[in-house]
């Protein structure tokens, strides 16, 4: 975050009480009610979660042990048998919700589809049978690389139904990035589409899958299931590639949900860290189901009459928990939209809100800043009066954007629910409960009941009010990540060793800096590690550096974030070249393209600066702090005396 954003957050004193009318019919109606839940959960977390698990979910068999905690490894509802697809579908079929809209979908070209719970159940069962026919068994991993179409949700639910953990790869990732993930997860089958519509163009998804699999690139993959979406020309490899619709037409709609162990792996989702390749975050079944369910119910206050729209992509954790699993587990109506604001239709989001009478809208600060830039006239020209709650996620929201969201989109009447959480946490961790907790622009407010959050120093001691520190969680929660897929050691190192345990107290280290104010409100300040948040997407600087260095022209690369008005941060790369290459504009462009090829367009550097050398300490470590200063054109902050070669900085500045 930029200095000015931090300052405006520090000075932020506005307080917005829950609107009276809203609170009256909210799930959690008052601060007293929140406090009571919070205190009860803090006093006995296991009893609290066990009571909710019994009340909110269907279990084929109850658990024997609520929590088995062998730090840093947790197991929840041990011995319990459960199926997430059953909780999202079957259990609603015997109620009036059978014919309620489960998914409302709008495609970018304007085609639409609505699936009731009964219809969705039928299609999920059919695809689950298709997967079985193609040899997918309980425990086998399935890659999903799809546009935002109902089939993406159907694919996920079909996997959950037969106990095949999915790994969804965002459709904006390149073939190379897809291959890395398929290889790491040892996926047996990939579900994709011929292509997807994105900003009036088509994205060649199947072609990327072909590239990922070429030369036996991901040898574990035996079959590819292809949805017909764009009808672009694609290659179908005989024996390997199968059309979804052809297979579905032949499949039985009878497929009982497999009773899964509560701790059976539900999915792997890759996310960027500070070192090495993206890590596979592992989530398991029972705890995740409960947590996605109850956080959506209490924090976004989802109710039976709501049309709820989360604008994320299913390729991110937000899409997993809050487009698919959370809403469907609650029997809610979840809207999926394939499109994005684009020059030909910048107001498309507001058209969707008006057309479907959206009541709850959940998006990201980067989108809100883009809306501000596009102008008030777009939302003002539509009827947005159906909205009753607005949510945000992904990065700290600057108070200006918060106020604009509140006034222009929410008409001043909708609570703003700023949810702090991570891929690793599975669901909201710090968030207002909108009928109970007064909001402050820029603060995610208070921990969800059962979440023991704190701001501490590196010894694990709580810091004083309004002092900066590290955001940690001090008690396991049901949807915490279980491990890094195939790498328990990395899990331990990344999350549990930054702050060493103190007398049996373990600290989950989130990687974010934060402070807590005198009212107990949390203000998350952003990543304190080498992780960037670019337009809400999480990227590791190391990952982009590795991509750059894999180009023959590049000797060394250092990547930092530079403040960007809309994206929050932009990728800024400093590059030194191999001897035989000379810096020029074509090479810059080629390097940007190379990053797109290696990772995806989301990682494309906004700027590349060529340098003779990078600033390093005497022990050879790149001093990123200086590079960050240089990238944003600021004065250098800190002491340059530890630097090996002082002239390097001067040259870098001249290079600007
Ligand atoms: C990182 C996690 C959780 C889904 C989206 C991102 C940042 C997320 C907030 C918020 C301040 C936030 C943090 C966090 N972040 N939400 N409301 N306020 N920061 O998931 O890709 O796993 O990224 O996003 O830095 O650590 P993710």
């Amino acid at each position: 975050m930029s200095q000015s954003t931090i300052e405006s957050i520090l000075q932020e004193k506005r307080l917005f009480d829950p609107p009276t009318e809203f609170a009256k019919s909210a799930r959690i109606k008052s601060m007293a009610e929140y406090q009571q839940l919070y205190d009860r959960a803090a006093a006995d977390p296991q009893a609290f979660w066990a009571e909710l698990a019994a009340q909110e979910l269907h279990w084929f068999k109850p658990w024997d042990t609520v929590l088995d905690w062998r730090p840093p490894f947790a197991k929840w509802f041990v011995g319990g048998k459960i199926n997430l697809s059953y909780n999202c579908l079957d259990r609603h079929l015997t109620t009036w919700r059978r014919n309620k809209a489960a998914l409302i979908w709008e495609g970018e070209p304007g085609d639409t589809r609505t699936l009731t719970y009964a219809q969705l159940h039928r299609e999920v069962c059919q695809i689950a049978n298709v997967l079985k026919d193609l040899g997918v068994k309980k425990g086998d991993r399935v890659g999903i690389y799809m546009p935002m179409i109902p089939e993406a949700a159907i694919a996920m639910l079909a996997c959950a139904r037969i106990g095949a953990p999915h790994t969804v790869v965002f459709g904006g990732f390149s073939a190379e990035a897809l291959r890395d993930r398929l290889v790491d997860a040892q996926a047996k089958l990939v579900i994709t589409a011929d292509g997807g519509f994105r900003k009036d163009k088509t994205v060649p998804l199947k072609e990327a899958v072909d590239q990922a699999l070429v030369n036996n690139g991901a040898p574990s993959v035996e079959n590819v299931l292809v949805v017909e979406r764009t009808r672009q020309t694609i290659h179908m490899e005989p024996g390997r590639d199968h059309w979804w619709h052809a297979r579905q037409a032949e499949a039985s709609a009878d497929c009982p949900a497999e009773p899964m162990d509560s701790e059976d792996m539900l999915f792997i989702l890759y996310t960027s860290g500070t070192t090495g390749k993206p890590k596979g975050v592992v989530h398991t079944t029972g705890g995740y189901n409960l947590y996605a369910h109850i956080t959506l119910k209490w924090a976004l206050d989802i109710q039976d009459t709501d049309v709820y729209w989360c604008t994320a992509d299913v390729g991110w954790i937000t899409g997993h928990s809050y487009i698919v699993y959370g809403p469907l587990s609650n029997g809610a109506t979840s809207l999926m939209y394939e499109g994005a604001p684009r020059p030909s239709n910048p107001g498309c989001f507001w058209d969707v809100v008006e057309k479907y009478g959206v009541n709850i809208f959940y998006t990201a600060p980067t989108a809100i800043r883009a809306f501000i830039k596009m102008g008030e006239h777009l939302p003002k020209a539509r009827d947005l009066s159906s909205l009753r709650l607005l949510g945000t996620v992904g990065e700290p929201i600057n108070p200006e954007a918060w106020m604009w969201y509140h006034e222009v989109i929410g008409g001043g009447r909708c609570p703003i629910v700023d949810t702090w959480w991570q891929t690793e946490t599975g669901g909201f961790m710090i968030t207002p409960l909108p009928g109970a907790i007064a909001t402050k622009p820029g603060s995610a407010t208070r921990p969800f009941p059962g979440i023991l959050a704190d701001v501490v120093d590196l010894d694990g001691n709580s810091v004083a009010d309004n002092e900066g520190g590290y955001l940690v969680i001090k008690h396991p929660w049901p949807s915490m990540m279980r491990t890094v897929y195939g790498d328990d050691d990395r899990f331990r190192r990344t999350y549990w060793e930054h702050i060493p345990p103190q007398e049996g107290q373990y600290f989950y280290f989130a990687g974010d800096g934060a402070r807590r104010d005198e009212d107990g409100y949390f203000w998350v300040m952003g990543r304190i590690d080498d992780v960037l948040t670019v337009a809400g997407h999480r990227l590791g600087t190391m990952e982009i550096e590795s991509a750059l260095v894999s180009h023959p022209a590049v000797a060394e690369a250092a990547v930092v974030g530079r403040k960007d008005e809309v994206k929050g941060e932009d990728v800024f790369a400093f590059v030194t070249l191999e001897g035989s290459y000379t810096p020029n504009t074509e090479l810059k462009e080629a390097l940007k393209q190379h990053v797109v090829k290696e990772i995806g367009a989301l990682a494309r550097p906004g700027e590349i600066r060529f340098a003779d050398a990078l600033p390093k300490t005497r022990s050879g470590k790149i001093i990123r702090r200086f590079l960050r200063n240089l990238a944003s054109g600021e004065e250098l902050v800190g002491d340059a005396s530890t630097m090996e070669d002082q002239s390097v900085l001067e040259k870098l500045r001249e290079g600007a």
Side-chain angles (χ1 to χ4, degrees):
M1 254 196 307
S2 75
Q3 202 54 35
S4 64
T5 307
I6 292 174
E7 271 156 23
S8 68
I9 284 184
L10 285 173
Q11 284 154 17
E12 186 54 58
K13 293 279 180 242
R14 283 171 287 203
L15 189 70
F16 293 82
D17 283 325
T20 317
E21 278 311 301
F22 184 96
K24 260 191 219 160
S25 53
R27 296 278 188 185
I28 309 296
K29 296 179 169 54
S30 67
M31 193 57 191
E33 200 180 333
Y34 163 78
Q35 199 63 54
Q36 195 221 340
L37 285 168
Y38 183 87
D39 292 344
R40 189 152 62 86
D44 190 349
Q46 298 191 32
F48 174 78
W49 291 120
E51 192 182 306
L52 282 172
Q55 183 187 302
E56 301 287 328
L57 303 181
H58 166 271
W59 296 82
F60 295 106
K61 175 182 166 290
W63 55 89
D64 310 310
T65 310
V66 180
L67 170 65
D68 175 350
W69 176 223
R70 294 163 210 229
F73 301 101
K75 292 182 178 163
W76 282 90
F77 311 114
V78 184
K81 294 279 183 192
I82 185 167
N83 184 291
L84 182 50
S85 131
Y86 188 98
N87 273 306
C88 287
L89 301 168
D90 307 53
R91 65 162 163 165
H92 305 311
L93 301 186
T94 50
T95 71
W96 67 270
R97 293 194 187 93
R98 178 180 178 83
N99 297 318
K100 174 180 175 175
L103 291 179
I104 296 177
W105 173 76
E106 170 111 359
E108 191 182 91
D111 46 343
T112 66
R113 232 183 129 189
T114 298
L115 286 136
T116 64
Y117 275 92
Q119 289 169 324
L120 183 60
H121 173 261
R122 184 180 164 79
E123 298 211 14
V124 168
C125 288
Q126 287 171 326
I127 297 305
N129 279 327
V130 170
L131 294 177
K132 283 192 201 168
D133 290 345
L134 292 172
V136 177
K137 296 194 178 57
K138 183 171 170 173
D140 289 341
R141 275 80 59 213
V142 172
I144 298 180
Y145 187 62
M146 297 271 264
M148 280 291 288
I149 54 177
E151 286 82 354
I154 294 169
M156 291 163 74
L157 289 157
C159 287
R161 194 162 190 86
I162 63 172
H166 53 67
T167 182
V168 186
V169 179
F170 172 56
F173 278 119
S174 69
E176 312 279 332
L178 171 64
R179 182 201 294 133
D180 287 347
R181 287 156 176 77
L182 295 175
V183 167
D184 189 81
Q186 294 289 293
K188 196 165 179 192
L189 180 141
V190 180
I191 307 178
T192 189
D194 48 359
F197 293 108
R198 190 82 194 155
K199 301 200 177 182
D200 298 323
K201 294 199 186 84
T202 58
V203 186
L205 294 169
K206 174 60 167 60
E207 199 183 303
V209 172
D210 291 343
Q211 278 170 25
L213 300 185
V214 82
N215 296 330
N216 218 13
S220 58
V221 175
E222 292 169 6
N223 291 287
V224 180
L225 190 59
V226 187
V227 177
E228 187 171 60
R229 170 68 186 131
T230 53
R231 308 202 165 186
Q232 62 203 94
T233 317
I234 56 166
H235 167 73
M236 291 291 279
E237 181 72 23
R240 185 195 74 181
D241 299 347
H242 316 268
W243 283 110
W244 169 295
H245 56 270
R247 287 277 171 163
Q248 183 181 4
E250 290 165 9
S252 152
D254 179 24
C255 180
E258 180 73 24
M260 301 299 289
D261 198 280
S262 175
E263 276 301 323
D264 277 338
M265 181 159 68
L266 176 68
F267 63 82
I268 307 170
L269 187 58
Y270 287 83
T271 192
S272 297
T274 46
T275 54
K277 295 233 176 236
K279 46 190 179 243
V281 170
V282 170
H283 282 288
T284 59
T285 310
Y288 173 83
N289 187 352
L290 175 62
Y291 202 75
H293 175 100
I294 200 67
T295 47
L296 181 65
K297 186 166 175 176
W298 287 356
L300 295 192
D301 197 57
I302 203 156
Q303 315 229 8
D304 256 324
T305 47
D306 285 319
V307 174
Y308 158 77
W309 179 22
C310 165
T311 69
D313 189 283
V314 291
W316 309 113
I317 190 70
T318 311
H320 285 57
S321 301
Y322 300 116
I323 294 178
V324 181
Y325 293 127
L328 300 179
S329 180
N330 276 287
T333 298
S334 183
L335 190 144
M336 259 176 115
Y337 178 49
E338 186 187 26
R342 51 200 184 275
S344 68
N345 193 356
C348 60
F349 272 25
W350 317 124
D351 286 338
V352 170
V353 170
E354 181 178 278
K355 176 172 174 187
Y356 294 99
V358 171
N359 307 107
I360 302 176
F361 179 72
Y362 186 39
T363 196
T366 183
I368 298 167
R369 291 190 300 262
F371 300 146
I372 297 176
K373 226 176 161 183
M374 287 186 269
E376 277 185 27
H377 63 283
L378 295 170
K380 291 231 154 113
R382 275 84 174 178
D383 177 6
L384 305 183
S385 60
S386 58
L387 292 170
R388 67 177 193 91
L389 181 147
L390 301 173
T392 158
V393 60
E395 60 180 296
I397 181 164
N398 43 312
E400 303 72 35
W402 196 103
M403 287 306 298
W404 188 90
Y405 199 27
H406 186 254
E407 298 303 323
V408 178
I409 304 303
R413 70 182 180 277
C414 304
I416 305 288
V417 178
D418 176 0
T419 58
W420 175 83
W421 60 298
Q422 309 177 295
T423 306
E424 293 88 337
T425 70
F428 311 151
M429 300 296 278
I430 302 180
T431 173
L433 301 188
I437 299 177
T439 53
K440 302 183 185 187
S443 169
T445 76
R446 321 255 298 199
F448 196 81
I451 300 305
L452 304 184
D454 200 357
V455 181
V456 301
D457 61 22
L458 280 177
D459 295 322
N461 305 310
S462 305
V463 301
D465 287 355
N466 288 314
E467 227 158 79
Y470 303 96
L471 183 54
V472 296
I473 311 296
K474 298 192 348 190
H475 191 277
W477 64 101
S479 65
M480 65 192 270
M481 77 181 283
R482 297 302 193 259
T483 189
V484 172
Y485 187 65
D487 199 346
D488 285 350
D489 221 50
R490 188 167 175 199
F491 173 60
R492 205 190 296 268
R493 280 197 318 273
T494 312
Y495 303 101
W496 302 95
E497 288 181 352
H498 286 273
I499 299 174
Q502 312 279 340
E503 293 159 25
Q505 171 66 64
Y506 278 74
F507 300 90
Y508 168 81
F509 184 82
D512 281 312
R515 77 183 164 94
R516 188 166 40 191
D517 70 15
E518 58 286 357
D519 299 325
Y521 279 51
F522 285 75
W523 300 77
V524 179
M525 295 302 181
R527 304 292 308 193
I528 45 98
D529 51 11
D530 294 324
V531 168
L532 306 182
T533 309
V534 179
H537 301 315
R538 178 165 156 186
L539 294 167
T541 52
M542 265 270 283
E543 235 176 302
I544 308 172
E545 287 163 7
S546 311
L548 284 164
V549 171
S550 73
H551 189 282
V554 177
E556 243 189 336
V559 165
V560 294
R562 175 178 60 176
K563 186 193 148 50
D564 180 277
E565 218 185 299
V566 173
K567 293 184 186 173
E569 274 185 304
D570 197 8
V571 176
F572 194 113
F574 293 88
V575 166
T576 65
L577 294 176
E578 291 289 352
S580 54
Y581 289 85
T582 39
N584 59 46
T585 335
E586 289 74 52
L587 184 55
K588 257 188 203 179
E589 197 42 46
L591 293 182
K592 288 181 184 176
Q593 247 346 91
H594 185 68
V595 173
V596 173
K597 178 174 156 281
E598 292 292 309
I599 304 175
L602 67 172
R604 183 188 170 88
E607 189 166 336
I608 289 182
R609 185 173 300 169
F610 293 119
D612 295 336
L614 299 174
K616 288 187 186 162
T617 62
R618 286 178 223 280
S619 58
K621 257 191 98 185
I622 293 173
I623 312 176
R624 283 166 198 284
R625 184 164 34 97
F626 290 152
L627 293 177
R628 276 193 286 268
N629 295 150
L630 284 167
S632 15
E634 300 162 353
E635 286 300 305
L636 297 188
V637 180
D639 180 11
S641 65
T642 53
M643 257 184 69
E644 194 191 24
D645 178 359
Q646 309 270 339
S647 68
V648 166
L649 284 179
E650 284 319 308
K651 284 206 190 122
L652 277 172
R653 232 192 310 234
E654 283 159 20

